[in-house]
């Protein structure tokens, strides 16, 4: 290498958030990294949240810092303990650990109220009697300034009295709000006297009826970060327009010497959007409530619960999030990236088994040389549990005269290049030998009910002087297991489900073939499958023993993903 070459800059491979953190550390603004994930407990987490969880916990881990889980529980009308419990379980499942740093916005209700009172005393906040609709009407537009509230110039004493009475529950819902006094002519609409508190006489899942006054997200967000010593508040891009307000609140609290730590820095990144999915919590809730899916954990849902039940692994989701990276540019990621991530992980970790989803009966009539087959077991076949991991051992499957193959592995009139079974043709049975079709049996309506074949136990034998090219899977008819297999596909048929003509909704883009249930024939060993076990069904895809519906000796399998991108190929056609 030339001595004039400049060594590669290690920061060049870092994303813009890491570069900002490096700059903050180098400048001494912070001496450590502390991040958080602040979900609202008003629904289940989805794959978009997984990106934020992996990003925030990953930054803390990579910088030897700390990571908090903090629930933004400021809207009790939509929040439930069920969601809190599910979120904690999903975050932990993804590998993010918060240790003893589990917090709730409700932990700080008293502090938020005291700080808001301090802003009122300093003339930075006032009680407003306008309704929500009136506030919106007077806010102005991007080209026109807003109009000040007629209650904007109330005295500090009157505001303090009204704010205390709001807390005491004297006023009905919506009668009054506390608003920050900033600038109704600001070009930044979020700075036009935003609402800090609303009256809601709703019981809270943690604080009960102690409060009827609840903070807005904009007021609670930055203050919770400050109280916990968060150094970098990583948010999705839609919060970029809220950052001036985030900073305005922190500036006022610093002026009043109320902040207990260095102030946090908000940094925004592009949220995750995936083809064939909707990510809106409101729309996901609609799917659940209207019965379009079986629940939040339906394997077709983009929720982490749904992905887990379908058979996705935490390792695959983390690898996907790492692979797509972090940017400031909004975009939509092809679903194929997520599917490839789980294929890659399961290809390495899932043991192999054989299953026939759409069975066609094959009867072995004799050996290839015409001699009679023995009664009972013809051959004990040894198959690898994983071709790349011999340490996982082998399993034995008994070949008998009757077996099942896939219906589409036989064609009576086959096109050129069809290397499976056809009249007069031969195919290799996985791990067993070679069969040659000698007769096709049909019912009275002409439907094929059985294929009769000869058998050669030599897997390398020539048939009619030619090498056998095709290999298919099979299961023995006598000892096979009948089991329910759920074949899941995309919930929506359109790449962008929300791209609909006038008068239509995203529901009109639902895929009517997103779920097919079949009774499959499985090799005998699968009777021992436990809830949560994952397998590659050879030539078919990766399957997951349903963690809820699987019981002893009666597994139910969910298809996680096909072996190849069959959906993408069909869509491109």
């Amino acid at each position: 290498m030339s001595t004039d070459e400049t060594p590669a800059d290690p920061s060049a491979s870092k994303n813009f958030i890491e570069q900002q953190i490096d700059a903050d550390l180098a400048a001494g603004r912070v001496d450590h990294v502390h991040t958080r994930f602040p979900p609202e407990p008003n629904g289940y987490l989805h794959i978009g949240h997984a990106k934020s969880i992996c990003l925030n916990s990953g930054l803390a881990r990579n910088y030897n810092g700390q990571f908090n889980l903090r629930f933004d529980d400021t809207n009790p009308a939509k929040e439930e303990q069920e969601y809190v419990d599910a979120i904690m379980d999903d975050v932990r499942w993804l590998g993010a650990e918060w240790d003893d740093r589990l917090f709730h916005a409700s932990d700080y209700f008293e502090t938020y109220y005291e700080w808001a009172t301090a802003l009122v005393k300093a003339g930075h906040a006032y009680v407003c009697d306008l309704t929500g609709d009136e506030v919106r009407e007077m806010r102005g537009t991007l080209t026109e300034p807003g109009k000040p509230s007629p209650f904007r110039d109330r005295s500090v004493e009157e505001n303090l009295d009204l704010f205390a009475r709001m807390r005491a529950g004297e006023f009905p819902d919506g009668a009054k709000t506390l608003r920050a006094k900033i600038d109704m002519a600001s070009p930044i609409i979020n700075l036009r006297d935003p609402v800090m508190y609303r009256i809601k006489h709703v019981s809270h899942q943690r604080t009960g009826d102690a409060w009827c006054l609840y903070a807005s997200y904009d007021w609670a967000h930055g203050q919770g970060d400050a109280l916990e010593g968060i150094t970098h508040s990583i948010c999705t891009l839609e919060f970029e327009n809220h950052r001036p307000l985030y900073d305005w609140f922190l500036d006022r609290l610093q002026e009043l010497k109320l902040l207990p730590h260095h102030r946090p820095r908000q940094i925004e990144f592009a949220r995750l959007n995936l083809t064939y999915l909707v990510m809106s919590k409101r729309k996901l809730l609609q799917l659940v409530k209207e019965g379009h899916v079986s629940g939040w954990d339906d394997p077709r849902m983009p929720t982490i619960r749904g992905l887990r039940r379908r058979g996705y692994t935490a390792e695959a989701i983390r690898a996907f999030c790492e692979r797509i990276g972090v940017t400031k540019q909004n975009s939509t990621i092809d679903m194929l990236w997520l599917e490839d991530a789980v294929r890659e992980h399961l290809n390495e970790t899932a043991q192999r088994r054989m299953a026939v989803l759409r069975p066609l009966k094959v009867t072995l009539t004799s050996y290839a040389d015409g001699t009679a087959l023995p009664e009972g077991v013809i051959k004990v076949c040894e198959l690898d549990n994983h071709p790349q991991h011999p340490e996982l051992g082998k399993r034995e499957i008994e070949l008998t005269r009757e077996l099942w193959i896939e219906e589409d592995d036989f064609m009576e009139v086959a096109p050129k290049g069809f290397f499976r079974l056809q009249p007069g043709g031969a195919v290799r049975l996985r791990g067993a030998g070679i069969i040659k079709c000698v007769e096709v049996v049909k019912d009275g309506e002409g439907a094929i009910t059985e294929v009769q074949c000869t058998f050669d136990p030599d897997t390398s034998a020539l048939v009619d002087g030619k090498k056998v090219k095709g290999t298919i899977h099979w299961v023995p008819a006598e000892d096979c297991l009948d089991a329910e297999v759920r074949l899941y596909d995309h919930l929506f048929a359109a790449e962008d489900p929300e791209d609909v003509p006038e008068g239509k909704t995203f529901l009109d883009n639902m895929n009517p073939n997103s779920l097919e249930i079949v009774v499959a024939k499985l090799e005998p060993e699968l009777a021992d499958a436990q809830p949560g076990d994952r397998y590659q069904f050879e030539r078919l895809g990766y399957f997951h023993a349903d963690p809820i519906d699987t019981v002893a000796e009666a597994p139910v399998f969910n298809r996680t993903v096909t072996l190849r991108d069959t959906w993408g190929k069909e869509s491109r056609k």
Side-chain angles (χ1 to χ4, degrees):
M1 182 176 76
S2 167
T3 55
D4 295 331
E5 283 192 40
T6 303
D9 181 1
S11 67
S13 62
K14 294 190 173 184
N15 63 53
F16 73 95
I17 296 177
E18 292 168 326
Q19 292 172 10
Q20 179 67 72
I21 291 174
D22 287 346
D24 287 343
L25 291 168
R29 193 189 76 81
V30 298
D31 58 8
H32 67 289
V33 172
H34 199 156
T35 63
R36 86 289 174 268
F37 175 61
E40 299 175 71
N42 60 0
Y44 282 70
L45 300 181
H46 56 60
I47 185 65
H49 296 114
K51 178 180 178 180
S52 181
I53 294 165
C54 292
L55 174 60
N56 278 285
S57 63
L59 288 169
R61 182 172 55 253
N62 294 341
Y63 283 91
N64 295 316
Q66 293 178 309
F67 168 76
N68 291 7
L69 177 62
R70 180 177 76 240
F71 286 96
D72 171 33
D73 55 347
T74 58
N75 188 7
K78 296 183 178 180
E79 298 163 0
E80 297 180 20
Q81 187 62 40
E82 171 192 351
Y83 299 141
V84 172
D85 296 339
I87 288 169
M88 291 174 63
D89 184 60
D90 285 342
V91 172
R92 186 175 284 115
W93 177 79
L94 277 170
E97 288 294 340
W98 56 86
D99 300 321
D100 60 348
R101 294 179 301 280
L102 172 64
F103 302 106
H104 301 76
S106 53
D107 295 336
Y108 313 128
F109 278 0
E110 191 65 47
T111 300
Y112 291 162
Y113 178 81
E114 290 174 1
W115 285 2
T117 300
L119 291 185
V120 172
K121 290 179 179 178
H124 296 312
Y126 63 96
V127 174
C128 180
D129 295 3
L130 295 178
T131 66
D133 288 340
E134 289 170 335
V135 169
R136 282 186 288 273
E137 289 172 7
M138 297 178 67
R139 185 172 287 135
T141 67
L142 291 172
T143 56
E144 296 180 358
K147 298 176 182 178
S149 165
F151 308 100
R152 198 172 194 266
D153 294 325
R154 276 174 164 155
S155 67
V156 169
E157 291 73 22
E158 184 180 5
N159 282 319
L160 288 172
D161 174 65
L162 289 172
F163 191 41
R165 291 163 63 192
M166 287 168 66
R167 175 178 178 171
E170 287 190 26
F171 306 110
D173 289 4
K176 298 180 187 297
T177 58
L178 183 73
R179 296 175 66 181
K181 186 187 288 188
I182 307 179
D183 182 2
M184 289 303 294
S186 173
I188 302 171
I189 291 181
N190 286 322
L191 293 181
R192 295 180 186 177
D193 291 11
V195 171
M196 296 172 62
Y197 275 96
R198 295 179 175 87
I199 300 171
K200 292 184 181 181
H201 291 270
V202 178
S203 184
H204 190 281
Q205 75 269 13
R206 294 188 75 242
T207 62
D209 296 321
W211 291 86
C212 63
L213 194 63
Y214 292 101
S216 68
Y217 180 82
D218 281 325
W219 169 238
H221 179 201
Q223 310 353 297
D225 288 342
L227 284 165
E228 292 172 17
I230 301 302
T231 60
H232 297 86
S233 176
I234 313 300
C235 303
T236 45
L237 206 56
E238 63 264 31
F239 291 99
E240 186 171 32
N241 292 334
H242 294 250
R243 190 184 344 135
L245 178 56
Y246 182 97
D247 289 335
W248 188 89
F249 282 134
L250 294 176
D251 287 341
R252 302 293 82 76
L253 294 175
Q254 276 192 317
E255 290 170 1
L256 297 171
K257 302 186 186 309
L258 293 173
L259 285 188
H261 299 284
H262 289 294
R263 60 184 290 158
R265 180 194 296 277
Q266 179 173 305
I267 305 174
E268 306 85 15
F269 69 99
R271 63 182 296 170
L272 173 61
N273 296 300
L274 278 169
T275 56
Y276 301 104
L277 292 178
V278 294
M279 296 289 207
S280 159
K281 271 189 182 179
R282 179 178 58 82
K283 290 183 171 66
L284 295 178
L285 181 60
Q286 182 180 350
L287 288 171
V288 173
K289 285 194 169 182
E290 294 181 2
H292 301 289
V293 293
S294 61
W296 286 99
D297 66 345
D298 188 301
R300 295 166 293 179
M301 289 278 275
T303 55
I304 297 176
R305 278 300 165 96
L307 292 168
R308 290 173 66 174
R309 190 167 181 185
R310 186 157 173 165
Y312 275 73
T313 63
E315 293 88 343
I317 293 175
R318 291 198 300 267
F320 165 73
C321 293
E322 180 71 23
R323 196 168 295 168
I324 62 175
V326 180
T327 70
K328 292 275 287 187
Q329 185 70 36
N330 276 322
S331 61
T332 300
I333 304 296
D334 195 316
M335 185 67 178
L336 176 61
W337 285 61
L338 179 58
E339 292 175 346
D340 276 349
V342 75
R343 282 190 190 101
E344 187 174 303
H345 186 239
L346 293 179
N347 180 57
E348 178 66 23
T349 59
Q351 293 197 25
R352 276 44 170 174
R353 296 292 185 268
M354 292 195 293
V356 173
L357 302 183
R358 295 174 176 85
L360 173 63
K361 185 178 180 181
V362 170
T363 301
L364 304 181
T365 58
S366 68
Y367 282 114
D369 60 6
T371 58
L373 293 167
E375 295 296 328
V377 177
I378 297 172
K379 180 179 180 179
V380 177
C381 308
E382 273 198 346
L383 285 84
D384 292 326
N385 286 326
H386 196 299
Q388 283 81 49
H389 293 285
E391 70 276 9
L392 294 177
K394 298 177 181 291
R395 66 194 189 282
E396 292 184 346
I397 303 179
E398 294 180 344
L399 177 70
T400 53
R401 289 191 178 192
E402 294 184 344
L403 55 129
W404 301 105
I405 66 169
E406 290 289 347
E407 193 174 62
D408 60 5
D409 277 339
F410 175 82
M411 290 189 71
E412 191 172 17
V413 180
K416 184 180 179 181
F418 183 78
F419 297 125
R420 287 166 281 173
L421 195 60
Q422 56 186 296
V427 72
R428 185 177 296 101
L429 291 181
R430 173 84 168 91
I434 292 173
I435 59 173
K436 179 180 178 181
C437 176
V438 294
E439 188 172 347
V440 179
V441 180
K442 301 181 180 180
D443 63 18
E445 297 180 354
I448 298 171
T449 59
E450 180 184 343
V451 177
Q452 296 184 353
C453 300
T454 59
F455 173 68
D456 189 333
D458 183 357
T459 58
S460 62
L462 299 178
V463 177
D464 299 328
K466 297 179 181 179
K467 183 178 179 181
V468 176
K469 294 184 178 181
T471 300
I472 64 174
H473 61 280
W474 57 279
V475 295
E478 185 174 335
D479 296 324
C480 71
L481 171 71
D482 286 351
E484 179 179 315
V485 175
R486 300 164 182 170
L487 305 176
Y488 291 103
D489 218 322
H490 296 317
L491 186 58
F492 294 94
E495 191 169 285
D496 179 1
E498 301 192 62
D499 183 11
V500 293
E502 188 175 350
K504 300 288 186 180
T505 74
F506 75 105
L507 296 175
D508 293 295
N509 276 328
M510 292 193 71
N511 175 17
N513 301 313
S514 63
L515 171 60
E516 179 186 3
I517 299 176
V518 300
V519 177
K521 307 289 186 180
L522 312 183
E523 67 170 77
E525 190 150 328
L526 284 169
D528 297 328
Q530 300 298 305
D533 284 352
R534 297 177 177 88
Y535 299 96
Q536 183 195 103
F537 288 177
E538 298 198 28
R539 301 178 64 233
L540 298 176
Y542 295 97
F543 291 77
H544 180 231
D546 190 277
I548 296 174
D549 296 335
T550 291
V551 296
E553 298 186 357
V556 174
F557 283 98
N558 302 325
R559 182 171 66 189
T560 305
V561 68
T562 57
L563 288 182
R564 297 174 186 82
D565 175 30
T566 52
W567 176 277
K569 290 179 180 178
E570 290 303 314
S571 297
R572 286 188 287 274
K573 286 180 183 178

